[in-house]
Structure formats: C-alpha cells, structure tokens
C-alpha cells in the first residue's frame, strides 16, 4: 500500500471514529435530557398527589369536626330536655 493510500485510509478511520463519538455523545445527552424530564414529571406528579391528599384530609377533618359539634349539641339538648331546662331568651 502506498503512503498516500495509508494516509487516506487513516483519515477515513479518524473521520468515522469522530462521527461515532459525536453520535454517542448526542445519544448520552438525549438520554440525560429524557431522564431529567421524567424526573421532573414524577416530582410534579408527587407534588400534585400530596396537595390533593392535603385537601382531602382538610375536608375530612372539617366534616368530622362538624359531626362532633352536632353530636355534642344534640347531647346538650337531650340533657336539657330531660331535665326540663330551656334557654331563656
């Protein structure tokens, strides 16, 4: 093989290696970007779920408090009725 052919073949090999390196580098960047997006989406979903759970808990506690208040008032009214005590206004 002549020196010119060897030089040409070396240049081709170098260009192919550089092209492959660039492809792999872009592939890694794309994978990292996709992983970052998935992580951000998962974090947002977790945040949304936590907020929804918080709102449901607050509603449940409010409802439970109202029920306890009503039960206590009914008990007071029942005792007053039994004892014959009425509110004078």
């Amino acid at each position: 093989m002549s020196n010119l052919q060897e030089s040409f073949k070396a240049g081709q090999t170098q260009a192919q290696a550089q092209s492959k390196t660039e492809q792999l580098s872009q592939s890694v960047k794309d994978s990292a970007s996709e992983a970052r997006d998935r992580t951000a989406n998962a974090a947002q979903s977790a945040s949304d779920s936590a907020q929804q759970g918080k709102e449901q808990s607050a509603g449940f506690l409010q409802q439970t408090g109202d029920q306890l208040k009503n039960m206590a008032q009914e008990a007071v009214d029942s005792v007053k009725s039994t004892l014959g005590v009425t509110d004078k206004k």
Side-chain angles (χ1 to χ4, degrees), residues 26-65:
Q26 187 60 46
S27 177
V28 168
K29 288 177 185 177
D30 291 346
S31 293
S33 178
E34 186 177 328
R36 183 189 68 235
D37 292 345
R38 285 184 186 173
T39 302
N41 289 341
Q44 184 62 46
S45 178
S47 177
D48 292 347
S49 293
Q51 181 64 32
Q52 184 179 10
K54 181 180 175 183
E55 291 168 2
Q56 286 177 344
S57 294
F60 173 77
L61 291 174
Q62 178 67 42
Q63 192 175 33
T64 302

Side-chain angles (χ1 to χ4, degrees), residues 13-34:
T13 302
Q14 182 181 5
Q16 288 172 347
Q18 185 175 356
S19 175
K20 187 66 173 176
T21 300
E22 290 172 1
Q23 288 174 353
L24 291 173
S25 177
Q26 187 60 46
S27 177
V28 168
K29 288 177 185 177
D30 291 346
S31 293
S33 178
E34 186 177 328

Side-chain angles (χ1 to χ4, degrees), residues 62-76:
Q62 178 67 42
Q63 192 175 33
T64 302
D66 290 344
Q67 288 173 346
L68 287 173
K69 178 180 149 189
N70 290 337
M71 288 171 54
Q73 186 61 50
E74 289 172 5
V76 167

